[in-house]
Amino acid sequence: MERYLKALQRGIIYLTLFIISLLLILALIDVFIKLYDGLINNPFRAFIELQYPQLIDLFLVIIIGVELLETIKGFLRDEILHVELVVLVAIIAISRKVIVWGISRTTSQEMFSLAAMLAALALTYWVIKTCYKKKYNKLGSNTPKANSSCGDVNV
């Protein structure tokens, strides 16, 4: 039964990798189409004002997708979820929101909530990196240090 579930899990992961890869290819094609269309049909100044923020948003979405692919590949390779990669994807996603968000359209409550989420994720990332440094030797050894206070954190 466990063998069947492992095979099912791997199949689902490969299907997820395929779907995300397909979506990334379609998003990249969309970027090229919008770039071509924007430069051909609009004056340069109008293109920069209207379509440049949308293209930056699409590029950041593609970067998030690539990071998701990396997270899934890491899970497939090691069969553990790398928390560091998941936190990095979340940081990139919130940063994307901050970068493309028009400040004139936001309320102070929305800005504070985004800032709190970003600060919490940055603190989480710092804790993960600190535990990683304490847990493993600087020489790249896979043996935990004796004085590690991070417990059994899989990073």
Side-chain angles (χ1 to χ4, degrees), residues 10-117:
R10 286 182 101 46
I12 290 170
I13 291 170
Y14 282 120
L15 182 62
T16 304
L17 280 172
F18 174 75
I19 291 170
I20 290 175
S21 299
L22 186 64
L23 288 174
L24 284 174
I25 290 169
L26 291 174
L28 201 55
I29 291 169
D30 188 37
V31 165
F32 283 120
I33 290 171
K34 285 185 179 184
L35 184 63
Y36 177 78
D37 186 48
L39 288 173
I40 297 299
N41 295 330
N42 297 319
F44 186 71
R45 181 174 218 97
F47 169 74
I48 294 295
E49 289 175 2
L50 299 175
Q51 292 189 338
Y52 181 74
Q54 293 174 355
L55 288 173
I56 293 296
D57 187 35
L58 281 173
F59 278 121
L60 292 172
V61 167
I62 290 171
I63 290 172
I64 292 169
V66 169
E67 286 298 322
L68 281 173
L69 274 177
E70 192 65 33
T71 303
I72 294 170
K73 281 184 354 187
F75 179 76
L76 194 60
R77 182 183 58 240
D78 301 334
E79 294 189 4
I80 60 169
L81 187 60
H82 294 275
V83 177
E84 180 182 3
L85 291 176
V86 174
V87 171
L88 281 175
V89 169
I91 288 172
I92 293 170
I94 291 178
S95 299
R96 171 191 156 261
K97 186 74 171 172
V98 170
I99 290 169
V100 299
W101 210 4
I103 293 181
S104 62
R105 295 179 289 161
T106 62
T107 65
S108 60
Q109 186 177 13
E110 291 172 329
M111 298 270 283
F112 284 126
S113 64
L114 268 180
M117 286 188 287

